[in-house]
Each structure stands twice: as C-alpha cells, then as structure tokens.
Amino acid sequence: MQDVPIRDTVIRLGQFLKLAGLIDSGAEAKTEIGDGMVTVNGEVELRRGRQLVVGDVVGHAGRCARVIPG
C-alpha cells in the first residue's frame, strides 16, 4: 500500500485516483468507478465525487493507496 499526501482536508475520489497514479485520466476514472472497479475502505464505490478524508484506503486493480495529510 502506498501513502499519498493531500493538501486539503478532503479530496474527491476521481482526483485521488489520478494523484495516486492508480488511474491515468479523468475519463478512465469515470469508467472504472462506474463499472464498480474501485473500492473505498474495502467497499465498492460508484460515486466519482465521493469525498475522501485522511485514513481512507482506495483500491483499484490489485493496488491500494491511503490518504494521508500533506
């Protein structure tokens, strides 16, 4: 699992996927999230705009990234 720092107190799921390098583009994030391929804290998340906070763990394609303070 990789730790990914964020500047603010929250970040949207689509933005975090790109920041963490789990997804290459916003369009890919939209598709992957909509297809149920992304998890937040172990549960499938279908909302690209889901607000993530410090400590949340995002998973995609066998890789995980944790939100940490920046």
Side-chain angles (χ1 to χ4, degrees):
M1 178 180 324
Q2 80 183 75
D3 289 336
V4 180
I6 62 171
R7 289 179 292 174
D8 299 318
T9 57
V10 297
I11 188 170
R12 293 187 190 278
L13 177 57
Q15 294 171 324
F16 184 76
L17 285 166
K18 290 186 293 183
L19 179 66
L22 298 175
I23 297 274
D24 293 328
S25 69
E28 184 182 0
K30 181 178 181 180
T31 301
E32 294 292 294
I33 293 167
D35 289 347
M37 303 299 292
V38 175
T39 61
V40 175
N41 300 326
E43 298 197 11
V44 172
E45 181 56 66
L46 299 174
R47 298 171 294 159
R48 185 173 53 160
R50 158 85 185 257
Q51 297 281 321
L52 302 175
V53 296
V54 170
D56 282 341
V57 176
V58 175
H60 176 262
R63 297 169 49 205
C64 292
R66 179 175 41 217
V67 181
I68 64 169

